[in-house]
Amino acid sequence: MNRFPLLAALTCVASAAQAGGDDMEHHHAHDQHHMDHAAHDAHALLGTMHVHDAFVMSLSLLAANYTSPLFEGDYQGGIVGAWYSRGRLGGGASIGAYDINKNGRDVTGVGDLMLHGHVTAYQTGDVMLGAMLMVSLPTGNDVDGIGMGHVMVMPEAWIMYAPGPLALAASAGYARMQGGAAAHAEHGAPMWPLVDPMYAQEITFGGTAMYGVAHALGIGVRAAGAVPVGANTVPVGDSDLRLSVGGRAVWIAGPVTTTFEVMGGVAGDPFGLRGVLETALRFN
């Protein structure tokens, strides 16, 4: 038996969101927002607790501060998600609600709906390869900075190497808006929305390292970022690298996995400091 069931609960980025997520924390699944896997299954480096033949529900609470070209303030929110995996395939959905302060004015609302599917394409020994496709739907208010205002399509590939109590993961992807660059640029900022900033077209990347320090406890570090690509995706002079780095802890108790993560924006102003607390419950 694997002495470290945590390794079955390890990480990916975002895209990703995060995250990112946050991290595209929410969008980049790379967070976002959302990056752990259940015990006894090192299957998917995408979303939250993807496992073979299981249904998972999750709740995430988050808080962050931010500074953008036009706005500054902070926001708090919650994200609910549901995922199902069977064999090498899986998919799910998540949506958040936010309270955001913009230059001293508070607004609240529901964010964009996130849909994704993933596949583990190759697995042998300690190595796994796979891919994911995420689509965000503009259910959030883009004027308030809670939603993107248009559809985003985000394919991504990932790899994980998990020998012993150590697990290393990396991902790379491409995100592109649908509907023309004007829909993104009209917000007056190269990245939008405020709660999960992205360029209209970008290359995303991320990496995570986790180490099992006990039977059901692990700690690690994560980095997530993006660079804009394509013509007229951002104003001239603002085509900066977006990068956030931070640490995380994962605790597993039976079917429940709890993750705490703190990320800091170090380039491109995705946010100042962002904390996420997530609990996920597995049914199988």
Side-chain angles (χ1 to χ4, degrees):
M1 175 180 291
N2 184 353
R3 184 187 165 199
F4 297 94
L6 163 75
L7 292 184
L10 291 182
T11 82
C12 131
V13 94
S15 216
Q18 56 89 18
D22 311 238
D23 98 319
M24 295 183 197
E25 290 301 332
H26 187 28
H27 288 85
H28 297 243
H30 305 218
D31 83 147
Q32 112 88 59
H33 38 230
H34 328 320
M35 309 287 181
D36 299 297
H37 316 287
H40 310 300
D41 186 3
H43 169 235
L45 291 177
L46 323 150
T48 305
M49 285 183 62
H50 289 301
V51 296
H52 292 306
D53 305 329
F55 176 71
V56 178
M57 297 186 67
S58 68
L59 171 64
S60 301
L61 303 177
L62 56 92
N65 60 358
Y66 70 92
T67 300
S68 75
L70 297 179
F71 304 101
E72 65 177 320
D74 55 62
Y75 59 87
Q76 303 80 43
I79 300 172
V80 294
W83 289 263
Y84 179 74
S85 290
R86 184 175 180 84
R88 293 178 178 268
L89 301 176
S94 61
I95 192 167
Y98 302 90
D99 179 359
I100 181 171
N101 180 282
K102 300 169 56 183
N103 296 342
R105 182 174 71 93
D106 286 322
V107 295
T108 60
V110 174
D112 288 347
L113 175 65
M114 310 299 298
L115 306 173
H116 82 265
H118 72 267
V119 58
T120 302
Y122 176 79
Q123 179 175 352
T124 179
D126 299 327
V127 178
M128 287 186 295
L129 303 172
M132 177 187 73
L133 176 63
M134 174 172 281
V135 176
S136 70
L137 303 181
T139 55
N141 188 320
D142 60 308
V143 175
D144 287 338
I146 298 175
M148 185 68 78
H150 51 72
V151 172
M152 291 290 293
V153 177
M154 297 162 277
E156 184 178 85
W158 55 262
I159 181 172
M160 183 174 79
Y161 175 57
L166 176 68
L168 304 174
S171 65
Y174 172 69
R176 182 183 178 91
M177 67 168 293
Q178 306 299 305
H184 193 89
E186 68 183 8
H187 305 296
M191 295 190 297
W192 202 258
L194 296 171
V195 298
D196 189 9
M198 296 176 61
Y199 292 107
Q201 186 178 183
E202 62 183 23
I203 299 294
T204 64
F205 58 87
T208 306
M210 293 290 293
Y211 187 81
V213 296
H215 177 69
L217 176 66
I219 58 174
V221 294
R222 187 166 77 88
V227 290
V229 295
N232 301 318
T233 56
V234 295
V236 175
D238 285 333
S239 55
D240 296 328
L241 165 73
R242 183 178 76 248
L243 180 66
S244 59
V245 298
R248 59 170 39 203
V250 180
W251 177 60
I252 301 173
V256 179
T257 294
T258 301
T259 303
F260 177 67
E261 179 178 271
V262 176
M263 300 284 284
V266 298
D269 293 327
F271 44 76
L273 190 67
R274 190 172 198 244
V276 179
L277 176 64
E278 178 185 270
T279 296
L281 177 62
R282 184 181 75 256
F283 303 87
N284 60 354

